[in-house]
Amino acid sequence: MKALTPPGRAALIASFALAIGMAWSTVRAAEVAVVTGEQWTTSSDAVKKAYLVGVANMVQVERAYNGATPPSDAQSIVPRMARGMQGQTLDSVREGVDRWYAANPTKLKRPVLDIIWFEMAVPGMQKK
């Protein structure tokens, strides 16, 4: 990924902040849904991919914001997430989450991000 120039970074952050602000004004924190296997297993591949694009975009926004000085592992999960998910594609993550829920049908209440972190990113970090 090409590094953003300071003006480009500022525009990206401003756009992101505006979007968050607009979303926050209509949704209170208590109303934000956690996506679990219950929603995941009933969603189309396109919806699953859109969800994963959103997660990937959040990681990219933080990486762009920090530029050449990423936060330490103690300050953010993003550096660890990036290392642990290196080499994964949207399709491989979608397929991995699908496989996990198929193998664990009694655990559909477990959040999708929990699966991505503990079943994919953490083991991916240990391979490095």
Side-chain angles (χ1 to χ4, degrees):
M1 180 176 139
K2 185 178 175 185
L4 292 175
T5 62
R9 189 177 308 148
L12 177 66
I13 293 166
S15 297
F16 186 67
L18 178 62
I20 293 292
M22 290 170 58
W24 196 260
S25 68
T26 59
V27 178
R28 284 182 258 167
E31 296 172 348
V32 175
V34 173
V35 178
T36 68
E38 293 169 333
Q39 293 85 25
W40 184 267
T41 58
T42 59
S43 295
S44 69
D45 286 350
V47 169
K48 292 173 185 178
K49 201 169 199 174
Y51 174 83
L52 295 174
V53 166
V55 172
N57 283 338
M58 288 182 0
V59 170
Q60 289 300 330
V61 166
E62 183 169 326
R63 290 180 78 191
Y65 174 76
N66 291 309
T69 55
S72 70
D73 286 355
Q75 295 172 313
S76 173
I77 68 162
V78 169
R80 290 174 284 167
M81 176 75 84
R83 283 194 311 273
M85 298 302 288
Q86 194 169 24
Q88 295 276 2
T89 65
L90 292 173
D91 285 331
S92 69
V93 174
R94 179 184 48 78
E95 292 164 359
V97 174
D98 284 345
R99 276 192 305 275
W100 193 91
Y101 284 121
N104 298 279
T106 61
K107 298 181 180 176
L108 294 181
K109 292 200 182 295
R110 189 169 176 194
V112 173
L113 283 176
D114 196 53
I115 306 305
I116 293 170
W117 178 253
F118 289 107
E119 307 299 332
M120 302 174 105
V122 171
M125 285 185 283
Q126 295 167 355
K127 292 179 187 174
K128 307 293 181 233

